[in-house]
Amino acid sequence: MRILDGEPATGISMPKPPSDAAAFDWRALQRWRIDERRLPRGSQVYFRQPSLWALYHWHIVGGAGLLVFQAVLIARLLFQKRRRDAAERELAKSEERLRMITNALPVLIAYVDADHRYRFNNDAYKAWFGVSPEEALGRTIREVAGERFYRSVLPYIERALSGERVRYVQDIDLGDGRLIYMDAVYVPDVDDRGVVNGFYVLAIDVTEQHLARQESRRLQDELLHAGRISTMGELAGSLAHEINQPLSAIMSNAQAAKRYLNAPTPDIEEVNEILDDIVKDDARAGEVINGLRTLLKKTKPVFEPVDLNVIFREVVGLLHTDAVMRNVRVSFELDARLPPVPGDRIQLQQVALNLLLNAFDAMDNGSREVRRLRIWTRLEAPQVLAAVADSGTGIPTEESERIFNSYYTSKPQGLGMGLSISRSIIHRHKGSIWFENNSDGGATFYVSLPVATDGQISG
């Protein structure tokens, strides 16, 4: 065929002779069921049909790989499901423990969403509003707590939903005639995008504590009043003399005026001068009596801007006779531009009175003939500072730790309440009181009070 195709014969090599190896037909071997292992070594088998593995081994490998991948995926999903089921069970247990804890607390606890609907409540709602947590879930605050309660807390709800952490303490009407004093905190729930989804509520009924504080304050006011009465009792002699002086002058002037009027030619001008003196003495006696009445009367504390300069001048005027009898010279170094402080006028007068009387008593024990008492005030922003400096013997070191304690006194006739009451008053006024011994003898008591802001009234 190659020669007929034009190929030169010289270029055609002779084929190799056939091999001596035996040749077999695979189909015949299969027909006669002859095992290929019985054939001679080196035998050639022709017409072999390929096996499924030879034909489809890539498909088989791919299918097996897919089955293995699916098996691994299914195993992983089953493992994750088990973990999720375990996590859900643990979460359920945690929620149950949390609910047990919140139900055991005497605190109203809730979560409210942006639509004012409850998403979590504890058992306190049953005691407060007669609604179980299950009944409250998904309902609005208005539906659960009533219109009156909702209106009273709506401003705080709006502030919490704006992202502000809110705390308030006020009287709350629960809607069935029950009034409680509630201390509540609203904490906004803000997500990563800064969106407020709702807020957490923690509220506690502090009615008993509020009533106890009111009773404590009432008893404290009673103690302050008793302290003023006790102090006035110590000053009974000097105060009687203080009042007796203008009364005696009034009597003398009245008798003189009567004599002038009984004369044949009354000196009307002299009588007018006498009457002017009577009016002045009467005013002086009235000031002393009004000062005593103010200190002794039992009133509810009224916090208003008070001038400490005026307070100390009024008290020194009240103690004028006592200072003269004890040979005490009082000097003032008062700052004329001193701003007012927020406080109760009567209680601050009581503090000034206690400090001055203690200074008088301290100088009674000294050997100095001249007894000097210096009162000064100045502004040390944001505080007003007042001081009472005496020339007595000072405060012994062993007494410095106890001098402000209740019932501690170095006076034989003292009750040991003056400085304790004074400290209580100053602390109520958000101030401080302390003392220092002077280098030249005696002691100085300091009172520091905050400056009153515009329209400030507190208590």
Side-chain angles (χ1 to χ4, degrees):
M1 291 299 295
R2 291 167 64 183
I3 292 172
L4 289 176
D5 287 338
E7 184 178 348
T10 57
I12 301 174
S13 60
M14 292 298 291
K16 292 181 179 182
S19 173
D20 293 337
F24 298 92
D25 188 332
W26 182 84
R27 292 169 294 183
L29 294 176
Q30 298 297 317
R31 177 182 178 184
W32 300 105
R33 298 191 178 98
I34 298 173
D35 191 350
E36 290 187 33
R37 291 176 295 182
R38 299 179 62 186
L39 299 179
R41 186 182 302 274
S43 298
Q44 300 291 328
V45 179
Y46 295 96
F47 310 113
R48 186 189 299 275
Q49 291 185 0
S51 65
L52 290 177
W53 171 256
L55 289 174
Y56 303 105
H57 67 279
W58 290 115
H59 298 80
I60 295 172
V61 170
L66 180 61
L67 289 175
V68 171
F69 174 75
Q70 288 180 336
V72 171
L73 181 61
I74 292 171
R76 184 173 180 82
L77 290 175
L78 290 173
F79 177 71
Q80 289 183 344
K81 183 178 183 302
R82 290 183 60 186
R83 289 184 60 185
R84 185 182 63 186
D85 293 343
E88 288 178 351
R89 289 193 298 270
E90 187 62 30
L91 178 61
K93 291 180 181 179
S94 298
E95 290 179 349
E96 184 63 25
R97 287 194 293 266
L98 176 62
R99 182 165 291 280
M100 290 176 61
I101 294 172
T102 57
N103 288 340
L105 294 174
V107 181
L108 185 145
I109 302 174
Y111 179 80
V112 181
D113 65 16
D115 296 326
H116 302 184
R117 295 186 179 276
Y118 288 111
R119 298 304 175 189
F120 176 84
N121 308 76
N122 67 338
D123 281 349
Y125 275 81
K126 186 179 296 183
W128 284 43
F129 304 109
V131 178
S132 67
E134 294 77 14
E135 294 172 328
L137 211 60
R139 297 170 63 187
T140 64
I141 297 176
R142 177 189 276 116
E143 294 171 340
V144 173
E147 182 69 25
R148 185 174 297 179
F149 179 90
Y150 177 71
R151 289 295 176 187
S152 63
V153 301
L154 182 58
Y156 308 115
I157 294 174
E158 293 174 346
R159 287 167 57 189
L161 290 177
S162 68
E164 179 184 354
R165 187 179 186 276
V166 182
R167 180 176 182 181
Y168 63 92
V169 182
Q170 69 175 46
D171 291 319
I172 294 293
D173 188 348
L174 296 182
D176 55 357
R178 289 182 299 154
L179 291 174
I180 67 170
Y181 204 72
M182 185 172 74
D183 186 348
V185 177
Y186 293 171
V187 180
D189 177 23
V190 185
D191 61 19
D192 297 337
R193 299 170 297 169
V195 178
V196 180
N197 299 313
F199 60 94
Y200 300 93
V201 179
L202 290 92
I204 185 169
D205 182 358
V206 293
T207 305
E208 293 184 3
Q209 295 90 322
H210 177 63
L211 294 177
R213 283 195 298 269
Q214 288 183 326
E215 179 65 14
S216 175
R217 181 158 292 187
R218 186 190 67 79
L219 294 174
Q220 188 176 34
D221 291 338
E222 294 278 358
L223 179 61
L224 298 181
H225 183 240
R228 290 197 296 272
I229 294 176
S230 175
T231 303
M232 290 300 100
E234 297 178 20
L235 295 174
S238 60
L239 291 176
H241 181 73
E242 191 75 19
I243 297 173
N244 189 54
Q245 279 187 331
L247 292 179
S248 299
I250 290 172
M251 177 62 72
S252 299
N253 285 326
Q255 291 173 348
K258 185 176 181 180
R259 287 196 300 272
Y260 275 107
L261 291 174
N262 289 333
T265 55
D267 188 345
I268 301 302
E269 184 176 352
E270 185 69 25
V271 171
N272 284 332
E273 292 180 1
I274 292 173
L275 292 176
D276 288 340
D277 291 338
I278 290 175
V279 171
K280 292 178 182 178
D281 290 329
D282 178 74
R284 180 183 170 192
E287 289 176 359
V288 175
I289 294 172
N290 286 334
L292 287 174
R293 182 184 301 163
T294 300
L295 279 171
L296 291 175
K297 69 180 179 181
K298 183 179 178 181
T299 59
K300 185 178 180 180
V302 177
F303 281 69
E304 58 187 2
V306 177
D307 188 343
L308 282 184
N309 291 344
V310 175
I311 293 291
F312 277 100
R313 286 193 180 277
E314 288 176 346
V315 174
V316 169
L318 190 63
L319 297 178
H320 173 71
T321 300
D322 200 39
V324 172
M325 294 173 61
R326 299 190 189 210
N327 194 27
V328 176
R329 296 183 184 180
V330 181
S331 62
F332 291 98
E333 297 176 17
L334 306 179
D335 186 350
R337 296 175 296 178
L338 195 71
V341 299
D344 180 77
R345 185 184 191 86
I346 297 176
Q347 291 187 1
L348 292 179
Q349 283 181 335
Q350 184 174 356
V351 172
L353 184 62
N354 283 330
L355 294 180
L356 293 178
L357 286 178
N358 285 344
F360 287 180
D361 293 337
M363 290 186 287
D364 282 345
N365 298 328
S367 58
R368 300 185 183 183
E369 295 181 0
V370 178
R371 299 167 179 173
R372 300 184 184 277
L373 181 67
R374 186 168 65 96
I375 302 172
W376 56 265
T377 60
R378 65 168 176 257
L379 174 63
E380 292 188 356
Q383 303 284 316
V384 168
L385 188 64
V388 176
D390 62 62
S391 59
T393 58
I395 309 297
T397 304
E398 63 272 12
E399 294 183 10
S400 59
E401 298 289 336
R402 300 174 290 171
I403 193 168
F404 287 103
N405 292 348
S406 300
Y407 309 113
Y408 177 77
T409 180
S410 58
K411 308 174 192 176
Q413 74 281 11
L415 296 177
M417 294 300 295
L419 286 177
S420 175
I421 290 175
S422 297
R423 182 176 63 175
S424 176
I425 292 173
I426 296 302
H427 284 179
R428 180 183 290 190
H429 286 70
K430 298 179 174 59
S432 55
I433 181 172
W434 72 97
F435 78 92
E436 295 177 359
N437 282 321
N438 303 327
S439 58
D440 58 347
T444 301
F445 279 80
Y446 299 90
V447 172
S448 177
L449 293 169
V451 176
T453 57
D454 293 338
Q456 180 179 16
I457 298 176
S458 62

